[in-house]
Amino acid sequence: MKKIEQYITSYNLDDILIKEVHEKLLIKHYKKGEYILEAHKGTNSIYFIVEGTVEVSCILDNGNQICLNILRPLEIFGDIEYINKEEVLFDVVAKSDVIVILLPFQLAKDYLEDNINFWRFLAIEGNKKLLNTNRAIFYKSTLKAKDIFIKYLEDNGGEITFKSLDELSGRLNISYRNLTRIIKFYINKGTIAKDRNFIKIL
């Protein structure tokens, strides 16, 4: 409870998460690589990221995975599902160790439905995510493969881990053959270093 109060104060959330809900909020930890939400499954909470980074991604019809958004403190997810009362649209995975505050839907309904600050916050955060998602899709459709690769590295703090190059090529929507060429190009250029399933910017 004390930790939640510290986060609320640190991120100036008192007008959004009013005193009456503090003791009913939940806090949860996720390890790097752990799925927080899975597409086409349900959720019953809005998630406030207070520590760490998460990736929002989806699987395309061709089986490739595309990263739509990288979320950091203090950004949220689960809000669209709360507003639209729909199942989760995309996968949400912890890109680092993550701590979130969970606001159960029922708690929001009981205590925050008439709170203008709460709705303003949801509107602002939802708009930011929409712009970021549109930007990500735009980059995918207009940037060269080399630029997409470097931008993905930069968006993830300059370091990425992956199960295999085949899995990474699907994530970036770049062919396996092209990805190996790009990695070799940047290694020879001294821009990146690769060690098995780990790549970092130098």
Side-chain angles (χ1 to χ4, degrees), residues 55-72:
E55 177 183 283
V56 181
S57 63
C58 71
I59 304 295
L60 302 176
D61 290 339
N62 61 11
N64 288 337
Q65 184 180 38
I66 179 172
C67 173
L68 296 174
N69 226 326
I70 301 294
L71 303 179
R72 301 174 176 84

Side-chain angles (χ1 to χ4, degrees), residues 33-46:
E34 188 175 356
Y35 274 77
I36 303 174
L37 294 178
E38 293 185 60
H40 312 302
K41 294 188 177 180
T43 184
N44 60 3
S45 297
I46 298 173

Side-chain angles (χ1 to χ4, degrees), residues 39-201:
H40 312 302
K41 294 188 177 180
T43 184
N44 60 3
S45 297
I46 298 173
Y47 294 68
F48 291 73
I49 305 169
V50 291
E51 289 190 28
T53 304
V54 307
E55 177 183 283
V56 181
S57 63
C58 71
I59 304 295
L60 302 176
D61 290 339
N62 61 11
N64 288 337
Q65 184 180 38
I66 179 172
C67 173
L68 296 174
N69 226 326
I70 301 294
L71 303 179
R72 301 174 176 84
L74 174 74
E75 293 182 288
I76 62 175
F77 53 94
D79 51 313
I80 302 302
E81 291 74 14
Y82 171 69
I83 294 170
N84 292 336
K85 297 178 175 58
E86 295 180 352
E87 64 182 13
V88 176
L89 294 176
F90 308 118
D91 292 323
V92 181
V93 180
K95 295 299 292 180
S96 65
D97 289 349
V98 171
I99 300 177
V100 294
I101 292 175
L102 273 65
L103 171 66
F105 289 169
Q106 190 60 49
L107 192 60
K109 183 177 180 181
D110 291 343
Y111 289 90
L112 302 175
E113 286 279 294
D114 297 325
N115 186 328
I116 188 64
N117 294 315
F118 171 68
W119 286 107
R120 183 183 293 116
F121 179 78
L122 293 189
I124 291 171
E125 291 303 311
N127 188 55
K128 280 167 52 180
K129 283 191 296 183
L130 177 61
L131 289 174
N132 287 339
T133 298
N134 287 343
R135 191 177 295 119
I137 294 171
F138 173 77
Y139 284 144
K140 290 285 183 184
S141 63
T142 59
L143 288 181
K144 294 180 180 178
K146 286 180 182 177
D147 297 329
I148 290 172
F149 173 77
I150 286 297
K151 186 174 188 311
Y152 185 75
L153 265 171
E154 291 171 346
D155 285 345
N156 285 274
E159 298 181 354
I160 55 172
T161 56
F162 46 92
K163 295 177 183 177
S164 66
L165 284 180
D166 190 54
E167 181 266 334
L168 182 60
S169 70
R171 197 190 305 177
L172 296 173
N173 202 20
I174 297 171
S175 72
Y176 176 89
R177 191 174 179 182
N178 200 10
L179 179 61
T180 56
R181 288 174 179 166
I182 291 168
I183 291 173
K184 184 177 180 181
F185 169 80
Y186 281 121
I187 289 174
N188 292 339
K189 194 176 178 182
T191 305
I192 65 170
K194 179 180 180 298
D195 182 15
R196 294 191 177 182
N197 296 340
F198 174 78
I199 294 175
K200 71 174 181 179
I201 295 178

